Amino acid sequence: MPDNATYHFVVADDHPLFRGALRQTIELLYPGAGIAEVGTLEDAAAELERHGEVDLLLLDLAMPGMRGFSGLMYLRAQYQSVPVVVVSASEDAGTIRRCMELGASGFIPKSLGIEVIREAVSQVMAGGSWTPPDVDLGEADSEASAMAQRLSTLTPQQVRVLMMLSEGLLNKQIAYELAVSEATVKAHVSAILQKLGVESRTQAVIAAAKIEQGQWLTAEAR
Amino acid sequence: MPDNATYHFVVADDHPLFRGALRQTIELLYPGAGIAEVGTLEDAAAELERHGEVDLLLLDLAMPGMRGFSGLMYLRAQYQSVPVVVVSASEDAGTIRRCMELGASGFIPKSLGIEVIREAVSQVMAGGSWTPPDVDLGEADSEASAMAQRLSTLTPQQVRVLMMLSEGLLNKQIAYELAVSEATVKAHVSAILQKLGVESRTQAVIAAAKIEQGQWLTAEAR
DNA sequence: GCCAGCGGCAAACGCTGTTTGCAGGTGTCC
DNA sequence: GGACACCTGCAAACAGCGTTTGCCGCTGGC
C-alpha cells in the first residue's frame, strides 16, 4: 500500500449501517486511507474544518441539518477544494441534475451495487465526475438551474450570509454571529443581491428557498 | 326539485374528466343546482367573485396557480362564507390535517367511490365537516400547525398582502397593485408581522413558505 | 513583485420597512 | 339606537436596509 495512507475521506450519512458499508467499500479500494464517519451536517463541517486536506466527501442528502440542497451548497462553498459525491436514496433526474449544478463531483444512488460505487469513487478520485449512466441530465429547467449557477459564484462568506438571511436574521444579528461589523455584512448582502440578480434581501431568500426545497418532506417526517 | 335551484356549486379541478365526474355526482345529489366548472385558481376566484353566494367549492390542491396550500389559504381568506372541500389525489394525514387547519370544511381523496363522495358533500352542505374515516388527524406537528392557526386569523386584505410579500414585492409595488397608498400597505404588513409573531417581512415570507410548500414537487414537474 | 480576488471596515446618502395613532365604514349585540 | 369590535385606509416619525466610495490587509497565481 503506497501513499494510500495520505488519502483522507469523510463519510457523512444519517444511517450508521450504510456509513459502515461505504467505509468498507473505500477501505477495499484504498487500503490504509483515513476515513472519518459523521452523522450530521454540523459534524461534517467540523471534520472538514479540523482536517484541511480531505480528498473526498461522501454526502447523504437527507442528513440532519441539511435543508434540502442548501447543505450541499454550504459545504461546497466553504470547502471548495473538497470534492463531494452525493449519496442518496432518491435517484430522479431533477435531484441529480441539481446536485451537479451545485458543484457535486458525482451522484451515487443508494440502490447501486458495490462494484459500481467503487468505480464511481475511483473515477471522481481521478479528477473526473460520475453520475448514473441510465439517467439523462438533458434539459435545463431554466429558472432553478440558472439560479443554481448564480449561487455557485458566491464566495464562502457570502454563502454563510445568505443562509442567515434565509433564517430571517437582521444584518446586525448576522454581524454578531460572524463576529464582523454590520458594514461588512451590508457589503456581503449587496454582493449577494447583485450575483443573484435580485433586488432585496427578501427576494434573495425566496430564490434560495426555491433551490433548497428538495422534493422529500424530510422536514415533515422529522 | 324544490329549492335545489338556489344551490350553487363551484368545481375547481385541473382535470376536465374528473371535474365532469364531480359535477354529475353533485347533480344527482342536488338536481337543478347551479354548477360552475373552472380549471385554475384564477378562474375559481373570478367565479366566486362573480357569484356572491356560492354554497360549496370543491377544490383540487394541485391546480395551476395554487402554490401548495397557499391557494386554499387565499380562497378561504377572500371568501370566508364559502365552505371549501379539498379534493386531492394525495391522502396522507399531514396534507389532510393542514387543509383542515387552513379552514377547509372537508377533504376527499380522489380514490374514494361516488357514494362516499356524495355522503361527504351532503354532510358538509348540512354545515358539518368530513374527512376520511381511516385517517388519524391526531398529533399537532407543533410549529407548522401553530403557524396555520395564526395564518387563519389574517383578514382577506392581509392575506393578499402576505402573498405579495411572498413574491418579493416592495410595499410600493403592493400598494400599486392593490390600489391603496403605501402607508396602508405598511399598516397591513405591520399587522401581519404581529399576527404571525415574527419581526420582519423576510421572516413572514419564510413562515408562509413553510406552510405553502406541499410535499409534491408540482413546481418541478411543471 | 505584481495583480486579482476575498474579506473586512467606515461614512454618508436615499430608500424601504416598521411602528404608532387616528379616522371612516360595516356589522353585531344588547 | 347606541356601544362595541373589526376591517380598511392614511400619515408622520424612526429604524433598518441597500448603495456607493474608498480604504486596508491577506492570499494565491503569474
Side-chain angles (χ1 to χ4, degrees), chain A residues 23-43:
Chain A
R23 167 195 276 276
Q24 289 189 354
T25 305
I26 295 176
E27 276 175 343
L28 279 177
L29 202 55
Y30 301 96
I35 304 179
E37 293 185 26
V38 295
T40 68
L41 175 63
E42 208 174 13
D43 291 348

Side-chain angles (χ1 to χ4, degrees), chain B residues 171-172 186 189-190 200-201:
Chain B
N171 286 340
K172 195 185 295 186
K186 289 179 177 181
V189 172
S190 283
S200 71
R201 76 204 284 92

Side-chain angles (χ1 to χ4, degrees), chain A residues 165-222:
Chain A
L165 287 184
S166 295
E167 292 168 10
L169 299 185
L170 303 178
N171 286 341
K172 197 184 296 183
Q173 297 173 297
I174 297 174
Y176 177 78
E177 295 220 16
L178 293 180
V180 297
S181 81
E182 192 178 344
T184 302
V185 174
K186 286 184 178 183
H188 282 309
V189 172
S190 285
I192 291 170
L193 298 185
Q194 281 199 323
K195 286 188 177 177
L196 298 194
V198 297
E199 286 180 329
S200 70
R201 67 169 49 240
T202 302
Q203 287 181 5
V205 169
I206 294 169
K210 283 183 184 167
I211 293 296
E212 83 186 23
Q213 100 194 166
Q215 40 273 67
W216 332 267
L217 49 165
T218 49
E220 310 227 323
R222 172 161 39 90

